[in-house]
Amino acid sequence: MRKIIHIDMDAFYASVEQRDFPEYRGIPLVVGGPPNSRGVVATASYEARKYGIRSAMPCSKAARLCPDAVFVPPRFDAYKAVSAKIREIFRRYTDVIEPLSLDEAYLDVTTDKQSIGSALEIARQIKEAIRSELHLTASAGVSVNKFVAKIASDMQKPDGLTFIGPSRIERFMESLPVEKFFGVGKVTAAKMKQLQLFTGADLKRLPEADLVRFFGKSGRFYYRIVRGIDDRPVQPDRELKSIAVEDTFSEDLYLLPAMEAELEKIAIKLAGRMQTRKLKGRTVTLKVRFADFKLITRSHSLPYYTDAIDEILSTARNSLQSVMTSDPMPVRLLGISVSNFDRANPEANQLSLF
């Protein structure tokens, strides 16, 4: 039986800022901004989250929720340097590490380097090393598969440690609200609730064929995961041909400025993921799904490789303006992907951790 740990740093960017600058400690801190800009929140400290401030929220809204919040620009070089040190800690225990972003990763410790044997004890030691050596906190989830470990890491934040063993998994999945399931966004959650599906137990009552009919191929995943079945391996070295971020909106977007604001949020997330993986690409592709479910894509190749937010956003925005000029319909989904990576970079064709 596998032993999987999911490590998720607590309010990572904000915590690094509060660690490095004592004047930010104990106050509502927002990484992003400035507050009067069209930018979005990258991370908010836990003091700011008490006011309802969340990642990807417009900075203008965050400032309204907490007028006393302090806004600071992100320092990605500093976050990457800290992440490299976190990776060194992980490697004391295993080399089977799969990154998700700068601040979270899966570890397979079925066979650990120090022959500790207990995944729970390894998670404790990792958390303590991060605390004592880096002066930061992390939350950890421990289980026998990736899905449950990731959910568990979020259950006692900040500084949490949650173990969900094999005998508890099915009961745990049955009690889980549907919006906590992997891949279930606002739109899918709303559809599930219209079908009177509110928890894992409700999903479990449906035959697989019905789940597929309602939710497409994701229905097969829901059928398995609600029974605690997740065979996905922790993958430390996967070839990556493209990287994408998209969002489906709970209400259709009618105005171009609203679409461009959502596109900026998507570009920020995408550029962050590329920078995490040390990837630079040339081809930027815009994905648009209209209210009538018509789907179009527009690709543009740059004469150079980039991972810069401004360049990715500008390219996608130009494509969006062209699309909306020729086909001005309400939009229900927007996405951006980048491909055609710099293969001359030895790290560019693999998922490096930090």
Side-chain angles (χ1 to χ4, degrees):
M1 189 169 290
R2 293 184 301 164
K3 300 174 183 178
I4 308 298
I5 301 172
H6 179 256
I7 299 287
D8 191 5
M9 300 299 295
D10 298 324
F12 182 52
Y13 298 171
S15 295
V16 172
E17 297 297 335
Q18 290 180 318
R19 183 197 68 175
D20 293 349
F21 301 96
E23 63 268 29
Y24 297 151
R25 295 173 191 170
I27 66 172
L29 182 70
V30 176
V31 179
N36 57 353
S37 72
R38 293 179 57 195
V40 297
V41 175
T43 307
S45 70
Y46 283 98
E47 294 87 353
R49 295 182 188 193
K50 293 177 181 177
Y51 292 88
I53 298 175
R54 297 290 183 268
S55 297
M57 174 183 288
C59 289
S60 56
K61 181 178 180 180
R64 291 195 299 271
L65 288 172
C66 183
D68 294 329
V70 173
F71 287 75
V72 299
R75 297 183 299 133
F76 288 110
D77 287 345
Y79 311 145
K80 290 176 185 176
V82 175
S83 294
K85 294 178 181 177
I86 296 170
R87 182 181 191 179
E88 292 173 5
I89 292 172
F90 291 164
R91 280 182 165 168
R92 297 172 193 171
Y93 301 91
T94 181
D95 291 321
V96 187
I97 304 164
E98 178 182 342
L100 298 178
S101 63
L102 271 176
D103 59 346
E104 60 176 321
Y106 289 115
L107 289 68
D108 188 329
V109 295
T110 308
T111 303
D112 66 280
K113 289 181 175 180
Q114 300 187 30
S115 300
I116 294 170
S118 167
L120 189 60
E121 177 58 27
I122 293 170
R124 285 197 186 100
Q125 291 188 20
I126 288 172
K127 279 168 50 65
E128 177 55 33
I130 290 172
R131 182 196 304 278
S132 62
E133 297 173 29
L134 305 178
H135 308 292
L136 296 168
T137 64
S139 293
V142 181
S143 193
V144 298
N145 63 51
K146 292 167 70 172
F147 184 93
V148 179
K150 183 170 173 62
I151 297 295
S153 69
D154 195 45
M155 291 182 66
Q156 299 185 60
K157 272 188 162 289
D159 199 20
L161 175 58
T162 302
F163 170 66
I164 300 176
S167 63
R168 291 180 53 204
I169 286 179
E170 281 209 55
R171 289 199 307 275
F172 172 75
M173 297 305 300
E174 289 172 359
S175 66
L176 199 66
V178 293
E179 53 266 29
K180 293 289 188 179
F181 276 70
F182 175 80
V184 175
K186 293 180 181 179
V187 174
T188 302
K191 180 178 180 180
M192 286 182 172
K193 291 175 181 180
Q194 288 177 349
L195 295 167
Q196 301 300 303
L197 303 173
F198 300 99
T199 67
D202 297 327
L203 287 173
K204 197 172 183 179
R205 285 194 288 270
L206 290 183
E208 184 175 9
D210 285 350
L211 288 172
V212 172
R213 179 160 57 91
F214 292 136
F215 306 109
K217 62 182 181 181
S218 295
R220 294 190 178 91
F221 179 77
Y222 301 147
Y223 181 84
R224 290 172 59 82
I225 200 61
V226 78
R227 290 163 172 79
I229 303 169
D230 179 12
D231 298 326
R232 294 174 300 154
V234 174
Q235 297 179 300
D237 295 303
R238 289 181 292 155
E239 185 175 358
L240 194 66
K241 296 183 178 179
S242 68
I243 188 166
V245 175
E246 63 182 46
D247 194 9
T248 301
F249 312 114
S250 56
E251 296 182 2
D252 295 338
L253 304 182
Y254 289 83
L255 301 177
L256 184 60
M259 298 175 196
E260 291 181 338
E262 295 298 332
L263 208 62
E264 181 178 13
K265 298 177 189 178
I266 292 168
I268 289 172
K269 290 182 182 178
L270 177 60
R273 293 180 184 179
M274 291 179 65
Q275 291 162 9
T276 298
R277 293 160 171 81
K278 300 180 181 178
L279 290 169
K280 292 186 178 183
R282 288 183 54 205
T283 302
V284 178
T285 300
L286 172 74
K287 178 179 178 181
V288 182
R289 189 182 297 278
F290 294 104
D292 63 356
F293 287 87
K294 176 185 175 183
L295 177 66
I296 64 170
T297 59
R298 294 288 184 271
S299 295
H300 179 77
S301 292
L302 302 169
Y304 48 82
Y305 297 100
T306 185
D307 63 356
I309 294 171
D310 290 346
E311 292 172 342
I312 293 170
L313 176 59
S314 175
T315 305
R317 184 180 285 155
N318 289 339
S319 296
L320 178 64
Q321 291 170 351
S322 174
V323 166
M324 297 311 296
T325 299
S326 60
D327 203 348
M329 294 176 58
V331 167
R332 72 186 314 267
L333 177 148
L334 288 171
I336 307 173
S337 64
V338 175
S339 57
N340 194 6
F341 295 127
D342 181 5
R343 299 304 182 187
N345 177 354
E347 295 181 303
N349 65 342
Q350 292 184 340
L351 283 178
S352 57
L353 180 56
F354 294 109

